[in-house]
Amino acid sequence: MEISLADVLRRFAPAYQQRYPTALLPSHQRAIRDILACRTPALGGHLWHCAKCDKDVYVYHGCRNRACPACHGAQTQQWLADRQEELLPCPYFHLTATVPEGLRDLFRGNQKVFYDLLMSLTAQCVMEVAANPKHLGAAPGILAVLHTWTGTLTYHPHVHCLITAGGVSPDGNAWIATRPGFFLPVRVLSRHLRRLFERTLKRQRPELFARVPAKVWRQEWVVHCVPWGQGEHGILDYLARYVFRIAITERRILAMDDQSVTFQYKDRKADRQRTCRLEGIEFVRRYLQHVLPKGFHKVRYYGLWNPKRRGQLEQVRLLLQLQRPPDRPAPEPAEKPRSLQPFRPVCPHCGGELAHVGEIPRPGCRGPPRPARC
C-alpha cells in the first residue's frame, strides 16, 4: 500500500503542533489543511458514470497548494507549453549558488527578505560579471529557481539558474557566445556575490547585517557552474523538474509506523540510493520548513528573459541564426509539449469509458450535483 504525505500529516501533525506550538506559521497551517483535504470530498469534484458496468465514479479536486506532492501535473504541462516560445536555440549552463551555513538560521527566521536577496543578487552577480568585456561583454538570459532542501529534507537554501551560453552585446547588434564548455569564472562569481550580499544587506537591513557571523564575509561562497548542452526539449523537461519539485515526492516515502517515517533519497557523492528513518514529528518539522511564505515567487526571469525584454526574443533568434557557421545545420525544432487534453478518467472497475454526470459541490453547498456543461 502506498503511503501519501497526507497519511503522514494525519498521523503526526497534531503531535508536532503540540510540541512546537509557536512554530506553526500560517503558511504551514494552510499547507497541512490543503494536503489533508486534497482529492477528498472536502474539496468537491466531479461525478462520472460507467455505462458498461453501471457504476458511479467520484473524482475529487486537488488542493493545488504548491507544497502538495499530489498536484501540479497539469500545471507542469501548461508551464512547458508557455516556455516553449521563450527558449533560445543555443547551448545552456546550469549554475547553482548556495548559502553559507553561517547564514542559514537568519534565512529560516527571515525567509521573504533573504530568499528575495538570494535570487535577485545571484542574477545581478551573473549579469554584472557577464557584462564585463574581460569575461563575456554581453547580457545573457537567466531563469532562477529557489530550492531550500537536501535529499534528507535538511535546510539548505540555494538557487538554480539556467543561463544561456552567451548573450546580446551592449549595442544589441550581435550575439556573443561563451567559450565551449566555459561560462564565467566561478571564483569571480563567488566573491562578487559575497560582496553584493554584504553591501546590500548592510544598506537595506542593518539590524540583520549585525547578526551575521563575521566569518561569512571572509569565506568562499559556493557557486557551481556546468554546461548543460543544447536541446530545447531536454532543457524544458529539466526546467519543469526544478520548477515544480517539492521537498519530497510521495514515491520516496517507503514506510510509516506509529513512531517514525522511512523515505528514500539519493546520496549524490556515492551515486546511490539510501534510506533515512526519522521520528514522525521530526519528519513533519523538516517538511514544513520548506513551505514557502505566502505570495513568494520561487521562479524568476532575468536578463533576456526578463518580462520587459521578451519582445526582443525574436531579434535575438535572428542574431543567433545570422552568426551560425554556414557548415553547421540549424538545430531541429523542439518537439512541442502536448496540449492539455480534457480529463477523461477510465472506469477503475472495468476499464470502460466514463460519462460526465455533473459536479459535486463542497460540503455545505446546497443542491444536487450540477449537470455537465455542453
Side-chain angles (χ1 to χ4, degrees), residues 139-158:
I142 304 172
L143 186 149
V145 185
L146 177 73
H147 279 186
T148 62
W149 57 84
T150 66
T152 56
L153 303 184
T154 54
Y155 191 65
H156 187 260
H158 58 283

Side-chain angles (χ1 to χ4, degrees), residues 6 33 103-104 162 175 189 214 241 255 260 271 298 316 336-337 352:
R33 183 170 64 250
L103 274 175
R104 290 175 192 169
L162 187 80
W175 175 266
L189 289 169
R241 290 199 302 270
S260 64
D271 194 26
K298 64 173 288 186
V316 175
K336 291 190 176 182

Side-chain angles (χ1 to χ4, degrees), residues 12 265 271:
F12 295 112
Y265 71 97
D271 194 26

Side-chain angles (χ1 to χ4, degrees), residues 45-56:
H46 293 266
L47 174 62
W48 301 74
H49 182 76
C50 179
K52 185 176 179 180
C53 64
D54 194 30
K55 291 187 177 180
D56 290 333

Side-chain angles (χ1 to χ4, degrees), residues 79-91:
W79 187 87
L80 288 173
D82 293 342
R83 299 288 80 76
Q84 182 70 42
E85 302 301 323
E86 299 167 4
L87 282 179
L88 297 170
C90 68

Side-chain angles (χ1 to χ4, degrees), residues 268-319:
R268 299 195 178 277
K269 290 185 178 180
D271 194 26
R272 59 176 297 182
Q273 296 292 330
R274 299 187 186 276
T275 59
C276 178
R277 185 174 180 266
L278 295 176
E279 181 191 12
I281 296 176
E282 173 62 12
F283 178 92
V284 174
R285 186 195 71 82
R286 290 195 188 187
Y287 163 75
L288 289 177
Q289 67 183 346
H290 306 299
V291 174
L292 294 175
K294 180 180 179 181
F296 184 85
H297 295 279
K298 64 173 288 186
V299 183
R300 302 187 184 186
Y301 305 86
Y302 302 93
L304 299 178
W305 283 325
N306 186 300
K308 295 181 180 179
R309 300 186 63 173
R310 286 181 184 169
Q312 304 173 6
L313 290 180
E314 287 305 319
Q315 180 183 353
V316 175
R317 287 193 181 89
L318 180 60
L319 292 175

Side-chain angles (χ1 to χ4, degrees), residues 49-326:
H49 182 76
C50 179
K52 185 176 179 180
C53 64
D54 194 30
K55 291 187 177 180
D56 290 333
V57 176
Y58 297 89
V59 179
Y60 298 111
H61 291 146
C63 66
R64 302 186 68 182
N65 190 299
R66 59 180 170 178
C68 176
C71 294
H72 311 302
Q75 186 181 6
T76 300
Q77 292 301 316
Q78 185 62 59
W79 187 87
L80 288 173
D82 293 342
R83 299 288 80 76
Q84 182 70 42
E85 302 301 323
E86 299 167 4
L87 282 179
L88 297 170
C90 68
Y92 290 86
F93 284 88
H94 175 210
L95 182 143
T96 308
T98 304
V99 172
E101 186 175 358
L103 274 175
R104 290 175 192 169
D105 286 341
L106 280 174
F107 264 70
R108 186 185 283 107
N110 304 272
Q111 294 181 4
K112 278 192 173 182
V113 173
F114 281 100
Y115 290 168
D116 181 74
L117 285 177
L118 177 61
M119 298 188 73
S120 61
L121 294 182
T122 298
Q124 181 181 340
C125 171
V126 172
M127 294 293 293
E128 291 181 355
V129 175
N132 188 335
K134 177 182 176 181
H135 300 299
L136 182 63
I142 304 172
L143 186 149
V145 185
L146 177 73
H147 279 186
T148 62
W149 57 84
T150 66
T152 56
L153 303 184
T154 54
Y155 191 65
H156 187 260
H158 58 283
V159 60
H160 294 271
C161 297
L162 187 80
I163 308 174
T164 56
V168 175
S169 61
D171 60 9
N173 295 326
W175 175 266
I176 302 176
T178 62
R179 285 182 282 166
F182 180 82
F183 180 51
L184 296 170
V186 291
R187 179 170 292 184
V188 173
L189 289 169
S190 169
R191 293 177 178 179
H192 190 52
L193 177 60
R194 183 184 62 191
R195 287 193 296 269
L196 284 175
F197 219 101
E198 182 179 13
R199 291 201 305 259
T200 304
L201 188 62
K202 186 176 183 178
R203 182 179 68 253
Q204 295 183 1
R205 300 298 298 267
E207 75 285 2
L208 295 178
F209 177 81
R211 295 168 57 188
V212 178
K215 67 178 182 180
V216 166
W217 310 123
R218 297 193 300 266
Q219 69 185 99
E220 294 287 342
W221 288 32
V222 178
V223 176
H224 185 63
C225 187
V226 295
W228 194 252
Q230 183 166 344
E232 295 182 30
H233 191 62
I235 293 292
L236 279 174
D237 289 342
Y238 163 82
L239 288 180
R241 290 199 302 270
Y242 272 85
V243 168
F244 295 100
R245 184 179 294 172
I246 60 169
I248 190 167
T249 56
E250 294 187 327
R251 67 176 178 270
R252 290 175 52 199
I253 303 176
L254 303 178
M256 177 179 66
D257 55 34
D258 290 338
Q259 302 295 328
S260 64
V261 179
T262 302
F263 61 94
Q264 187 178 58
Y265 71 97
K266 184 174 182 179
D267 184 341
R268 299 195 178 277
K269 290 185 178 180
D271 194 26
R272 59 176 297 182
Q273 296 292 330
R274 299 187 186 276
T275 59
C276 178
R277 185 174 180 266
L278 295 176
E279 181 191 12
I281 296 176
E282 173 62 12
F283 178 92
V284 174
R285 186 195 71 82
R286 290 195 188 187
Y287 163 75
L288 289 177
Q289 67 183 346
H290 306 299
V291 174
L292 294 175
K294 180 180 179 181
F296 184 85
H297 295 279
K298 64 173 288 186
V299 183
R300 302 187 184 186
Y301 305 86
Y302 302 93
L304 299 178
W305 283 325
N306 186 300
K308 295 181 180 179
R309 300 186 63 173
R310 286 181 184 169
Q312 304 173 6
L313 290 180
E314 287 305 319
Q315 180 183 353
V316 175
R317 287 193 181 89
L318 180 60
L319 292 175
L320 283 165
Q321 292 174 0
L322 291 175
Q323 296 183 214
R324 184 180 298 113

